[in-house]
Amino acid sequence: MTGTVDHSKTDAAAAAVRVNGQQMSIAATAPYTTALAWLRGSGVTGPKEGCAEGECGACAVMVSRPDGDGGTRWTSINSCLVPAAMLAGQEIYTAEGLATDQGLHPVQEEMALRGGSQCGYCTPGFISSMAAEYYREDRRDCSCESGSCGLASATSNIVSTARAVPTGNNLPWALVVDGNAPEGDLQLPPDADAATVPVTRYESTPPHAAEIGPNGFDLHALSGNLCRCTGYRPIRDAAFALGKVDPKDPMARRRELPAPASQPLRLEHAGSAFVRPANLAQALELLAGAPEAVVVAGSTDWGVELNIKHRRASLTIAIDQLPELRQFHIAGDRIEIGAALTLSEVARLLNGSVPLLDQVFPRFASQLIRNAATIGGNLGTGSPIGDMAPALLALDAGLLLSSERGERTVALADYFTGYRKSVRAVDEIIRAVHIPMPLAPLGRFYKIAKRRFDDISSVAVAITATRTDGAVAQIRVGVGGAAAVTLRARGTEAALMGKPWTAESFAAAAEVLMTEVTPMTDHRASAEYRSATLAQSIRRFHAEVSS
């Protein structure tokens, strides 16, 4: 795997990327070159580099992804994080590729008319994310004669009561979610079948209540796109002014066709190689022969290593499109989620069937990150600040690990062994996540961070419980962000099992949790703050689910 580029090992068709309708080649591109660097080096300079770690969204582009029904879903991602080689055989659009000879794209036109661009640096990223939401298949006009309607979030299936209020910003109306609505007042979308729409009710306003315009545009689609100049109101005006998609729009019609199929690929350059194997068996064979290889799925973590730490790998193995890692099944006793499914895909596939995860998804980074990050990757890094781990611990999840030696199942509670360390061997790949059924009826996820959205947790706590005859029949507590390791708080659980379902019981358990976790002090929070927050989460859980 050393030497210069050997084109005899590279299938020219597999190494082609369709960019703004034109074929471009990545055959001579180094495996560590990001898509953003490759695009800009090729003269496609719309996307920009701002933070180089997936927070600002200036680099956002649209990619064609399978919609699960044989068609295509236009999806926005951070091009600064994904290696260009991972887009081989794929189809992408940048902001400058949306206009036609007939004029500006509707998204571009509305942004221009409403002052959504000032310095213009962040604008191409906003345009890409806004266009992806514009083309969302189930985006619909949700205005109604009464001025209010029940709406379902585009990223989860939580349905809440909404009412119209004046905004003073030249908008027809905006949403205010009323989380305290009585059970009988909870509304469903007008065309929804109440028997088939799962509904999660909250005792308090959920932190991820979607801001949805009268045209069905979900502003959360722009999370991860930042702008210092405009104050966001003109951008929101532009988003809410977008009309219905013209059925003759070529990109709308493109949705009816399948997304490009993944093709096996091998690229070599200056002593490093990138390989996209055809199946899991090939991936495991490669990994067994090169345990130092970097295994990449969403690249939201590896991309930061490439950009900020300038890490380079002798071998990069892409597993994001392996069919064996993209399975999804709901059986009688468990839910199986393929490790290479992105968090956005998992949210759509679960469709509200795991309410606790519906609380996690909107608080997990940004929409741009969730469109690329995978559920297996978030666990595979072993990072103590991964938000999925505490929730999956509270759900008693397990992991299916695969290697050439065979497969084994490991309880997530036994998986983490230290800071970014786990029981997973160097030749193993996480194939799937298992969530046992039935689910506990009570659950909450609490994320404490300096920003409400798109931030790293100072403390993340997930709790599930079952109450029977006024006592705690079952409880699980997952804790992340507070210490060097994500953990299951078994001592706290033991302190509550079988105890009366009272504030006194939970207050006593809170004291146990403060001693069970050894919080750290860093730039996000002090150890004392984390300890107090952990204790409060237990007391808060009791107060919320008991009211």
Side-chain angles (χ1 to χ4, degrees):
M1 288 180 281
T2 61
T4 59
V5 177
D6 183 352
H7 290 286
S8 67
K9 296 180 180 180
T10 302
D11 182 344
V17 184
R18 190 169 182 83
V19 179
N20 297 332
Q22 303 296 319
Q23 292 290 103
M24 296 172 59
S25 177
I26 51 100
T29 304
Y32 51 79
T33 303
T34 65
L36 176 64
W38 171 71
L39 285 168
R40 293 185 60 79
S42 302
V44 183
T45 56
K48 306 292 193 296
E49 180 177 292
C51 64
E53 53 186 346
E55 285 204 21
C56 72
C59 66
V61 300
M62 284 201 308
V63 297
S64 57
R65 292 280 171 83
D67 67 356
D69 294 316
T72 291
R73 180 188 299 272
W74 290 113
T75 305
S76 56
I77 64 169
N78 294 109
S79 65
C80 76
L81 296 178
V82 59
M86 293 189 71
L87 295 178
Q90 303 301 300
E91 181 178 9
I92 72 174
Y93 272 85
T94 64
E96 62 262 59
L98 296 176
T100 66
D101 293 340
Q102 285 71 46
L104 293 176
H105 187 276
V107 168
Q108 296 170 321
E109 185 172 10
E110 292 297 346
M111 284 282 278
L113 287 174
R114 298 170 192 277
S117 175
Q118 289 188 24
C119 81
Y121 196 89
C122 68
T123 306
F126 270 97
I127 294 291
S128 294
S129 292
M130 195 177 292
E133 174 67 5
Y134 173 72
Y135 287 116
R136 178 164 58 87
E137 195 77 54
D138 55 350
R139 182 178 70 87
R140 61 182 179 83
D141 187 332
C142 59
S143 59
C144 51
E145 292 182 1
S146 65
S148 63
C149 57
L151 297 169
S153 165
T155 55
S156 67
N157 214 44
I158 295 170
V159 181
S160 302
T161 302
R163 65 176 182 269
V165 296
T167 65
N169 289 328
N170 299 319
L171 295 175
W173 58 283
L175 290 180
V176 173
V177 174
D178 183 1
N180 296 312
E183 295 264 330
D185 290 343
L186 197 68
Q187 302 174 25
L188 297 177
D191 58 350
D193 180 357
T196 61
V197 178
V199 176
T200 301
R201 294 178 171 86
Y202 292 86
E203 285 75 16
S204 60
T205 302
H208 51 279
E211 296 177 69
I212 304 178
N215 59 351
F217 192 103
D218 187 350
L219 287 179
H220 282 215
L222 304 182
S223 69
N225 289 99
L226 305 182
C227 179
R228 294 177 180 268
C229 301
T230 66
Y232 297 105
R233 185 196 55 76
I235 296 174
R236 184 180 66 171
D237 288 357
F240 285 1
L242 289 167
K244 295 180 179 179
V245 177
D246 185 344
K248 297 179 181 179
D249 183 326
M251 296 189 69
R253 296 173 62 183
R254 175 67 183 82
R255 297 177 304 186
E256 302 170 6
L257 302 175
S262 174
Q263 300 294 328
L265 176 70
R266 181 184 183 88
L267 296 176
E268 293 191 12
H269 179 83
S272 62
F274 174 94
V275 179
R276 181 183 292 284
N279 51 50
L280 179 59
Q282 289 185 11
L284 296 176
E285 181 181 2
L286 282 167
L287 191 56
E292 78 284 355
V294 172
V295 177
V296 178
S299 196
T300 54
D301 189 75
W302 177 240
V304 177
E305 297 286 312
L306 291 175
N307 293 330
I308 306 301
K309 298 183 180 180
H310 303 288
R311 283 190 59 192
R312 302 294 183 255
S314 58
L315 174 62
T316 303
I317 305 173
I319 62 171
D320 56 311
Q321 297 300 319
L322 295 182
E324 298 92 338
L325 272 62
R326 291 184 54 78
Q327 303 296 311
F328 179 85
H329 304 287
I330 297 182
D333 62 342
R334 70 179 184 180
I335 299 173
E336 179 175 314
I337 304 170
L341 291 170
T342 69
L343 297 183
S344 294
E345 290 175 320
V346 173
R348 287 193 294 268
L349 289 166
L350 288 175
N351 195 30
S353 57
V354 183
L356 181 67
L357 295 185
D358 276 339
Q359 300 176 47
V360 178
F361 291 130
R363 301 295 302 278
F364 189 108
S366 67
Q367 186 68 52
L368 283 167
I369 294 294
R370 294 194 298 273
N371 286 343
T374 63
I375 190 168
N378 191 241
L379 301 173
T381 64
S383 172
I385 55 174
D387 285 338
M388 289 303 299
L392 291 171
L393 283 169
L395 292 167
D396 198 27
L399 303 181
L400 180 61
L401 305 179
S402 296
S403 70
E404 279 203 309
R405 295 173 284 109
E407 292 189 336
R408 62 180 177 133
T409 300
V410 175
L412 185 58
D414 301 324
Y415 178 73
F416 301 106
T417 59
Y419 178 72
R420 287 188 177 268
K421 294 181 180 180
S422 69
V423 300
R424 180 171 58 88
V426 293
D427 64 340
E428 287 183 312
I429 290 175
I430 301 175
R431 186 164 80 80
V433 176
H434 294 158
I435 299 175
M437 300 279 278
L439 302 173
L442 304 173
R444 288 291 187 276
F445 174 73
Y446 303 118
K447 175 173 179 172
I448 309 301
K450 291 188 175 182
R451 294 195 304 257
R452 186 178 181 188
F453 296 108
D454 196 12
D455 201 6
I456 294 172
S457 296
S458 298
V459 174
V461 180
I463 307 171
T464 62
T466 302
R467 177 175 54 191
T468 304
D469 297 328
V472 180
Q474 173 271 313
I475 189 161
R476 298 188 184 93
V477 181
V479 178
V485 182
T486 302
L487 59 85
R488 174 105 168 256
R490 295 188 182 276
T492 305
E493 296 171 3
L496 278 167
M497 282 294 293
K499 297 296 175 60
W501 191 280
T502 62
E504 291 75 18
S505 296
F506 280 81
E511 297 299 319
V512 175
L513 185 57
M514 291 177 69
T515 61
E516 186 173 9
V517 178
T518 305
M520 58 186 175
T521 294
D522 59 17
H523 64 283
R524 291 192 297 275
S526 67
E528 293 77 12
Y529 176 84
R530 285 187 163 107
S531 183
T533 301
L534 288 170
Q536 181 62 15
S537 68
I538 295 292
R539 294 189 288 263
R540 179 180 174 184
F541 175 78
H542 174 266
E544 288 187 354
V545 302
S546 302
S547 59

